[in-house]
Amino acid sequence: EVQLVESGGGLVQPGGSLRLSCAASGVTFSSYAMNWVRQAPGKGLEWVSAINSGGGSTSYADSVKGRFTISRDNAKNTLYLHMNSLKPEDAAVYYCATDGVWAYYSGSYYYHPAYWGQGTQVTVSS
């Protein structure tokens, strides 16, 4: 059984930083590309970032590029998201996710993960 457990969320002021972690079990972690996705209140799931299985290739949504950094430690079966210069619009529940598919509709691409955790809340407010 695949289990993904996120942690590290909290309340931070605009401009602040947080590091999210995701501990994986029940899966050969080093074989899977991993993603971070988020969901703000009243909104759909938004893909944030991805990293390939070896950690050598990363990608980011335009909304977080230059501020967030995804990384992984395959020896520890753990995924990370370093978030800097946080903005109020970054507030959401953040999920690590894997084994998903991309679908194109309504003029945009959307990521649909097969597995995701329970999420960790990030609140950005002064």
Side-chain angles (χ1 to χ4, degrees), residues 38-118:
R38 67 187 181 185
Q39 187 167 28
K43 296 190 176 181
L45 205 62
E46 178 190 11
W47 174 80
V48 174
S49 182
I51 188 168
N52 70 341
S53 58
S57 179
T58 59
S59 55
Y60 300 92
D62 287 343
S63 58
V64 307
K65 200 172 294 183
R67 300 187 298 120
F68 290 12
T69 302
I70 190 172
S71 62
R72 65 191 296 162
D73 186 337
N74 285 344
K76 295 182 178 180
N77 287 357
T78 303
L79 176 73
Y80 302 101
L81 185 68
H82 300 255
M83 306 187 295
N84 297 320
S85 303
L86 282 161
K87 305 175 181 180
E89 52 264 42
D90 294 318
V93 178
Y94 283 71
Y95 303 89
C96 64
T98 192
D99 202 22
V101 296
W102 286 90
Y104 182 81
Y105 50 89
S106 301
S108 298
Y109 284 95
Y110 296 89
Y111 179 69
H112 296 275
Y115 302 103
W116 62 94
Q118 86 292 344

